[in-house]
Amino acid sequence: MKNIENIKLRENSTIKEALEIIDKGSMQIALVVDDNDRLIGTLTDGDIRRGLLKGFDLTSSIEQIIFKTPTIAKISDTKEDILKIALSKKLHQIPIVDDFGKIVGIKEIEELVKPKDKINKVVLMVGGLGTRLRPLTETTPKPMLKVGNKPILQTIVEKFAEYGYTNIVMCVNYKSDIIQDYFKDGSDFGVNIEYILEEQRMGTAGALSLLKDKPNEPFFVMNGDLLTNVNFSNLLDFHSFANANATMCVREYEYQIPYGVVETINDKIISIVEKPIKKFFVNAGIYVLSPNIFEFIPKNEFFDMPTLFNILIERKRKILSFPIHEYWLDIGRMEEYKKANEEYGLVF
């Protein structure tokens, strides 16, 4: 996704200013935003030319020539969603907005059709015991259990490769030989894979201290027992444009209290709500981290990701949440494994 800071305009900008932005930019478009960076509309060379034909001059405001109903995509849209929109509208690029209409970038369709390999590393945590899925995991590590006639881990690898993220590190432990024998160096799957053996349980953040070459750019960390259609490029852009230290994907979780909830002040009942539904955001097990987080990770000891995030909160570092609206399933129990097999063909 392209950086859009140099192609933004306000509604009171002049046509001359718009022309200068469009001529200097490589994307041949200007994005008109309000004071909160919410997208108002777009301007192209064609819009300006049509305005000049109607009698506007270079000192005129762009207000009356803005195209106020541009085709947009949400930051939660998958690559396939964006491509489908673009092809149906015969577009070469689409502005990307968040859930509040705030512009976060612009996606060029050629980039989607021909994704380039990107240098950002992907660290997959695949060393868990999978005790809740026994007896299936007595002979097979959980990430290698088949969903849709292929291992869960293969679907994860292929999803990252689809977005051009091909530098993969697998942190292995339990029955690691099965994983390594299957994926080898990753070339059969269009990626490069290196392995880190956790000789003792290190936790989702502690294992990062074992990386041989520390990344110099933001990198992904993901649990190896998840199935999701999250747009990894949009996730990385969300993190990078905000210059965050860490970003955690979160998922909305609902829980219905099976009783009437009574609210009181002293002995006086002030309300009764029958079986209310409580909503929370829960950790989705997918992260983007910047290289500067390594200073907070101890060596050779168990250290999980929530602990890292709590330390970053205490140190007042910039950490973000990225809500996942796409398909997401944590395959931790037998009922979830069964559900994954039922839904796989419908989702992937």
Side-chain angles (χ1 to χ4, degrees), residues 69-80:
T69 56
T71 299
I72 60 172
K74 291 288 188 72
I75 197 168
S76 57
D77 287 341
T78 66
K79 171 185 170 181
E80 291 78 10

Side-chain angles (χ1 to χ4, degrees), residues 75 217-219 233-248 287-293 318-320 322:
I75 197 168
E217 60 286 318
F219 61 99
S233 291
N234 285 350
L235 169 58
L236 182 63
D237 289 338
F238 180 85
H239 172 92
S240 299
F241 289 157
N243 197 26
N245 296 107
T247 298
M248 175 189 291
Y287 316 89
V288 178
L289 305 176
S290 291
N292 51 23
I293 57 90
K318 190 170 188 179
I319 60 174
L320 303 176
F322 182 87

Side-chain angles (χ1 to χ4, degrees), residues 111-123:
E111 204 175 272
L112 294 177
V113 178
K114 299 178 180 178
K116 297 176 182 177
D117 288 350
K118 296 158 185 157
I119 60 174
N120 308 83
K121 283 185 181 291
V122 176
V123 182

